[in-house]
Amino acid sequence: MNNVPVNEIQRFSFDNTNVRGERVLLSSAYQEIIKRQQYPLSIEKLLGEFVAAIALLRDIVKIDGILSIQAKGNGFLSALMTECDENQNLRGIAQWDQAQPVPETISLKEILAGGHLVITISPRNGQRYQGIVEIVGDSLAECLEQYFYQSEQLPSRVWLASDGSQCGGLFLQRLPAEQAKEGDEDAWSRFTQLAATVKEEELLGLETEELLHRLYHEEEVRLYDIKPMQFGCSCSRQRTLDAILSLGTEEVRQLLIEQGSIQADCQFCAEKYEFKEEELLGKLGDQAQTH
Ligand SMILES: [Zn+2]
């Protein structure tokens, strides 16, 4: 592959079967996320797997809105969050215990000891809902497979990879049987067995068409439109203001007495928001009147 940054997701399906798939590959969009902090390599890689995972998930769930995966635990990592909206804007962040050295290779179970994943779907219109996934196997891919099975009752397989400069993923799902043509009942096991031979360097180094050709050159693969993905933060002055005001009148007044103004930096994109006393006092006045 040439050195042009690839940030894209693409759907595919196999003709005359009930199996569909997705492939995501991210380079600069992922690098934009990890450059915000001095992450240890193992956390950079794990964050990359989460970013690839949210990209896949976002494209599979058919609603307008934001999807997020949050991981919470008691291991080296205290929290990790990644998010993607319907325009393929990605962001993510991890918090870890900087007092202890993080080993170079470590399983998800160890890194998030006793933790779990929270997958949140926040539609533009309507109620948001959350699914909790226990951390079972050794990998995020296994957790996601479990999530898909829990939420959609559809067998799904996921492969994720990340090396600190690129991240990528491959997803296969078996749709309900009525969509399949007769005579190809072993398609699912054949496709998943072939996908299981994928190597990390192929997931990260090959463009989708090339990757699928390598895995499935004897099959009829149908590729859909490529969707570009990018780093993008959903923070705004208004959302930051709302968050500050949600602290409550007393807290905000106290901060103003101590600091004169309130400054809040977005942890995802480093954007700085500053609110002066008169603006905040005005808003607190509005709040007091409407509540
Ligand atoms: Zn931001």
Side-chain angles (χ1 to χ4, degrees):
M1 196 162 75
N2 53 30
N3 289 321
V4 177
V6 175
N7 299 288
E8 57 194 35
I9 188 159
Q10 192 167 16
R11 286 183 201 178
F12 58 90
S13 62
F14 300 95
D15 282 355
N16 304 320
T17 75
N18 57 340
V19 181
R20 64 164 179 169
E22 300 258 356
R23 197 287 176 105
V24 65
L25 182 59
L26 303 165
S27 56
S28 58
Y30 162 55
Q31 289 159 19
E32 285 281 321
I33 290 171
I34 55 173
K35 77 174 192 194
R36 311 276 155 188
Q37 297 199 42
Q38 290 285 321
Y39 291 117
L41 184 61
S42 54
I43 291 182
E44 244 171 35
K45 287 185 183 176
L46 186 67
L47 189 50
E49 288 194 16
F50 272 82
V51 170
I54 195 68
L56 290 172
L57 202 59
R58 177 50 275 195
D59 212 52
I60 293 154
V61 175
K62 287 181 184 53
I63 52 139
D64 276 353
I66 298 173
L67 255 75
S68 71
I69 310 177
Q70 270 177 287
K72 290 176 182 170
N74 311 302
F76 295 97
L77 208 60
S78 48
L80 185 153
M81 207 270 248
T82 178
E83 213 178 67
C84 186
D85 70 11
E86 68 273 43
N87 299 314
Q88 290 83 243
N89 291 306
L90 291 157
R91 65 177 197 168
I93 196 167
Q95 286 163 347
W96 76 104
D97 180 0
Q98 301 193 21
Q100 30 174 339
V102 180
E104 267 178 42
T105 53
I106 188 165
S107 75
L108 185 69
K109 226 174 190 169
E110 288 171 288
I111 213 163
L112 281 166
H116 61 269
L117 305 181
V118 181
I119 295 177
T120 306
I121 302 176
S122 311
R124 293 280 168 211
N125 302 300
Q127 245 187 330
R128 65 174 204 169
Y129 45 104
Q130 291 193 319
I132 304 235
V133 187
E134 296 306 322
I135 293 171
V136 279
D138 285 331
S139 68
L140 176 61
E142 283 175 75
C143 295
L144 275 192
E145 287 167 4
Q146 198 192 340
Y147 173 76
F148 282 117
Y149 199 71
Q150 274 173 16
S151 62
E152 303 187 308
Q153 278 84 49
L154 296 174
S156 308
R157 292 296 313 274
V158 179
W159 292 267
L160 299 168
S162 172
D163 64 2
S165 99
Q166 297 194 99
C167 63
L170 181 66
F171 167 83
L172 290 180
Q173 189 169 57
R174 187 171 66 180
L175 296 167
E178 53 270 23
Q179 296 187 28
K181 282 210 175 155
E182 284 178 46
D184 199 6
E185 280 155 7
D186 68 346
W188 174 247
S189 65
R190 192 168 75 245
F191 296 148
T192 51
Q193 277 168 24
L194 288 168
T197 67
V198 75
K199 297 184 187 76
E200 182 178 305
E201 55 266 33
E202 291 173 325
L203 265 183
L204 299 177
L206 297 178
E207 288 189 46
T208 303
E209 202 171 339
E210 217 180 333
L211 176 74
L212 295 176
H213 180 74
R214 198 171 286 192
L215 293 173
Y216 300 117
H217 48 87
E218 288 178 2
E219 311 288 345
E220 296 290 323
V221 182
R222 184 175 298 269
L223 282 159
Y224 297 85
D225 289 347
I226 290 173
K227 289 185 197 165
M229 306 203 75
Q230 60 281 321
F231 170 75
C233 191
S234 55
C235 71
S236 68
R237 193 171 166 82
Q238 185 60 48
R239 283 179 73 170
T240 311
L241 177 63
D242 291 346
I244 292 172
L245 293 175
S246 73
L247 296 170
T249 307
E250 280 314 304
E251 182 82 3
V252 173
R253 282 185 194 280
Q254 193 56 40
L255 285 167
L256 286 172
I257 290 167
E258 288 163 15
Q259 302 168 12
S261 66
I262 297 180
Q263 191 181 316
D265 300 351
C266 176
Q267 290 185 301
F268 291 93
C269 72
E271 180 76 36
K272 291 184 193 313
Y273 296 100
E274 194 183 2
F275 300 92
K276 301 242 186 295
E277 184 170 8
E278 51 277 20
E279 181 179 4
L280 286 167
L281 290 179
K283 297 287 175 193
L284 287 174
D286 295 348
Q287 267 201 332
Q289 278 164 12
T290 51
H291 290 285

